[in-house]
Amino acid sequence: MSTKLNIFEMGPRDGLQNEKTLIPTVNKIELINRLSGCGFEKIETSSFVSPKWVPQMADAAEVFANIVRKPGIRYTALTPNIKGYERAKSSAADEVAVFASASEGFSKKNINCSIKESFERFAPVIEAAKADDIPVRGYVSCIVECPYDGPTPAHNVAMVSERLLQMGCYEVSLGDTTGVATPETTEAMLDAVLKVIPAEQLAGHFHDTRDLALSNIMSSIKLGLRTFDSAIGGLGGCPYAPGAKGNVSTLAVARMAELLDYDTGLDIEKLKHTQEFILSIKEAAAA
Ligand code: HMG
Ligand code: MG
């Protein structure tokens, strides 16, 4: 029997958050409904961040209210602070995520606070989620390089990841936010992180700026990781990480997994149709 490879779909959130033109809410809902038919167990549906900071995600509550939820799928959301958590809870998000950075420069630009302050903001979110029985995922951005601070020391990644897990996150997703990692830098970073955290509690989150995301995933698989974030159509970018291109394409990861005899549970044909759908919406919005 083939080994399971978990693919966490990021398209509706990380994929769309950076689109310059507002994607109509109805299209986001349709995208999520189509993704629900593709075989995912988790879909990052939106983010409850400040609409002034990320206008594209201002309709998070409306999106959550109108999607057709398929049993067995966790519809998740980013929550940077307790206000975001309360909004996510009101929208019945099945899982939330706090997002930290391994570099001070990105932390400041992205969430307007230091790394230390970010932990202070996350603590009440994680406590409240625990009381409400809502799982919390953690992200660590800039795992090999920061657009503001330069190369990231691997021990910073290990330290921030360890802290998020100690605080109560069930898993940490390691984000190559600007897509500059190579297999070598990925392996060096993972060597340090795996000294303190088991592979089962880590996920890889690669952007494809240098077309190396699949190679970085391969390196991560060799080191034991079995969960990866990706976005349908390779959508994406981060408004506070200049130069960041799309997430690795879900279809590309699913195809690679199939070739390597990993089981993703995904339906390749449905992924293709969903990709065509969202790319045509994106094109129409930009026209
Ligand atoms: P701030 O300005 O320091 O916050 O922003 P504040 O607490 O001073 O509040 C300012 C205003 O925002 C107030 O409203 C608050 O009520 C409101 P006003 O009084 O001015 O009308 N506010 C909110 N509104 C709605 N929902 C909220 C919320 N919080 C405050 N949750 C803050 C701090 C964290 C809010 C802001 O910096 C922010 O929203 N940042 C999010 C940026 C973001 O979403 N970035 C992209 C996601 S991260 C990413 O893409 C990386 C990842 O993919 C992994 C990788 O690739 O590495 C995860
Ligand atoms: Mg990202």
Side-chain angles (χ1 to χ4, degrees):
M1 215 176 76
S2 43
T3 309
K4 184 99 189 1
L5 199 75
N6 306 299
I7 301 188
F8 197 144
E9 174 58 34
M10 295 280 127
R13 193 279 301 173
D14 204 359
L16 296 182
Q17 68 183 8
N18 199 35
E19 285 301 307
K20 301 286 166 288
T21 319
L22 285 183
I23 303 292
T25 306
V26 65
N27 294 145
K28 294 178 183 172
I29 293 164
E30 165 128 30
L31 169 64
I32 295 157
N33 290 343
R34 287 180 183 236
L35 289 167
S36 294
C38 291
F40 296 103
E41 288 170 15
K42 294 179 192 166
I43 300 174
E44 198 144 271
T45 300
S46 192
S47 59
F48 292 95
V49 296
S50 163
K52 287 185 193 139
W53 283 64
V54 186
Q56 189 67 253
M57 296 286 113
D59 58 1
E62 208 183 330
V63 169
F64 266 95
N66 289 289
I67 52 173
V68 180
R69 293 179 192 234
K70 194 167 172 188
I73 300 181
R74 279 195 208 168
Y75 297 91
T76 74
L78 293 192
T79 52
N81 51 20
I82 196 70
K83 178 162 187 168
Y85 175 75
E86 292 302 341
R87 291 176 62 213
K89 187 183 164 189
S90 304
S91 288
D94 298 306
E95 171 176 319
V96 298
V98 292
F99 46 109
S101 172
S103 71
E104 289 293 349
F106 186 71
S107 183
K108 193 82 195 132
K109 291 276 186 205
N110 194 44
I111 50 173
N112 204 23
C113 64
S114 67
I115 298 172
K116 185 172 174 286
E117 285 162 342
S118 75
F119 291 136
E120 287 159 16
R121 281 188 192 170
F122 300 154
V125 172
I126 297 171
E127 268 168 43
K130 194 174 175 195
D132 295 330
D133 215 12
I134 296 178
V136 186
R137 195 182 201 220
Y139 285 96
V140 179
S141 288
C142 300
I143 53 168
V144 299
E145 200 173 306
C146 168
Y148 308 103
D149 297 352
T152 304
H155 67 84
N156 285 15
V157 184
M159 228 166 51
V160 174
S161 304
E162 212 181 3
R163 180 76 185 269
L164 288 171
L165 290 170
Q166 282 163 357
M167 288 174 78
C169 293
Y170 74 89
E171 172 179 274
V172 167
S173 173
L174 299 167
D176 176 25
T177 315
T178 49
V180 294
T182 62
E184 289 72 27
T185 54
T186 299
E187 280 168 34
M189 178 276 303
L190 280 177
D191 279 342
V193 177
L194 287 166
K195 286 200 170 73
V196 289
I197 299 172
E200 301 74 55
Q201 285 187 292
L202 295 170
H205 177 110
F206 293 100
H207 286 254
D208 209 16
T209 314
R210 293 181 174 171
D211 301 323
L212 284 174
L214 284 182
S215 310
N216 297 334
I217 290 177
M218 274 308 303
S219 296
S220 309
I221 289 176
K222 274 192 227 144
L223 290 174
L225 272 68
R226 292 291 178 271
T227 300
F228 296 94
D229 301 347
S230 64
I232 192 78
L235 298 171
C238 173
Y240 297 100
K245 266 206 347 196
N247 292 75
V248 65
S249 151
T250 301
L251 191 51
V253 182
R255 281 185 170 137
M256 181 179 87
E258 195 174 71
L259 285 172
L260 297 174
D261 201 27
Y262 284 101
D263 172 23
T264 63
L266 296 176
D267 182 321
I268 300 271
E269 282 309 305
K270 285 186 179 164
L271 284 179
K272 275 193 213 160
H273 292 136
T274 306
Q275 172 167 305
E276 279 164 22
F277 164 75
I278 193 58
L279 292 182
S280 71
I281 294 295
K282 202 181 129 166
E283 217 171 277

